[in-house]
Amino acid sequence: MKKQIIAGMAAAMVCVGAVGGTFAYLTSTDAVTNTFSVGKVKITLDEAKVDGTGKEITGDGAERVKANSYHLIPGGEYDKDPTVHVDVKSEESYIFVKVSNGIETVANVSTQIVANGWNALGDSYSGVYYIEYDPEEAEDEDGDGYVDYVVFEKISIAGGVTGEELEGLGSAELTVNAYAIQKAGFTSTENAYSEFTKTVDASE
């Protein structure tokens, strides 16, 4: 009888131990997952292709190009519309254009540039203009994924300019260069432009 009782108690203890082994702790877990995306600033620059008289080609043969040639005469007016295209997904940025106008004495384009919303960077930066790109306010009017900023539209040669004055220009060029740099991290447009040019110079 005693042996049966002891055996029964042992069995009971084993049973209790087995039940006790299934108890779970009270626990809680959590996690934070960080995701990262890469920002970008992207632009292109081009102008309408013109014919031999300096007029924009429309319809068949129309295209955007990187350069045109012009045959200047006094009183002439020529189409030239350098345009900066900013990718709509670009970060807030400063867009700069530097206009090296070798025919400034006979064809002033600075008035057109300002009229198109560009701001002169300052007396220390001759021929440099800028706009501020904000993706929240940008409008992609033609749905191609870019916002367009026209620099100027034409070259006009005053009627009083002599053939000798034009001939004296030799191989002068009117060149437009476009630059873009993120807006974040810079205290002013001058600071941004200065740092951009340092970066370009260091890479050459």
Side-chain angles (χ1 to χ4, degrees), residues 60-195:
D60 292 341
E63 61 178 310
R64 305 293 295 182
V65 297
K66 295 294 186 181
N68 278 299
S69 296
Y70 297 84
H71 180 67
L72 305 179
I73 60 173
E77 185 173 282
Y78 309 90
D79 294 330
K80 188 173 183 67
D81 67 340
T83 302
V84 181
H85 310 281
V86 183
D87 189 315
V88 294
K89 295 180 180 179
S90 294
E91 302 293 324
E92 277 193 276
S93 50
Y94 293 117
I95 313 299
F96 297 97
V97 290
K98 183 174 183 179
V99 182
S100 303
N101 193 352
I103 58 172
E104 181 71 22
T105 55
V106 295
N108 191 322
V109 299
S110 58
T111 301
Q112 296 179 62
I113 298 173
V114 174
N116 283 333
W118 296 84
N119 306 284
L121 188 56
D123 295 338
S124 299
Y125 303 90
S126 178
V128 179
Y129 302 83
Y130 73 93
I131 56 171
E132 298 182 30
Y133 175 74
D134 184 344
E136 297 297 325
E137 299 178 357
E139 295 184 10
D140 178 11
E141 295 181 353
D142 53 11
D144 65 350
Y146 287 83
V147 181
D148 303 331
Y149 297 97
V150 179
V151 184
F152 55 91
E153 294 90 2
K154 61 185 177 181
I155 304 169
S156 298
I157 308 301
V161 174
T162 66
E164 287 75 19
E165 288 175 314
L166 285 176
E167 188 175 344
L169 294 175
S171 58
E173 297 180 343
L174 197 169
T175 303
V176 179
N177 291 300
Y179 316 105
I181 189 170
Q182 67 186 57
K183 189 174 180 180
F186 296 106
T187 57
S188 67
T189 50
E190 291 85 354
N191 174 228
Y193 184 75
S194 177
E195 289 301 315

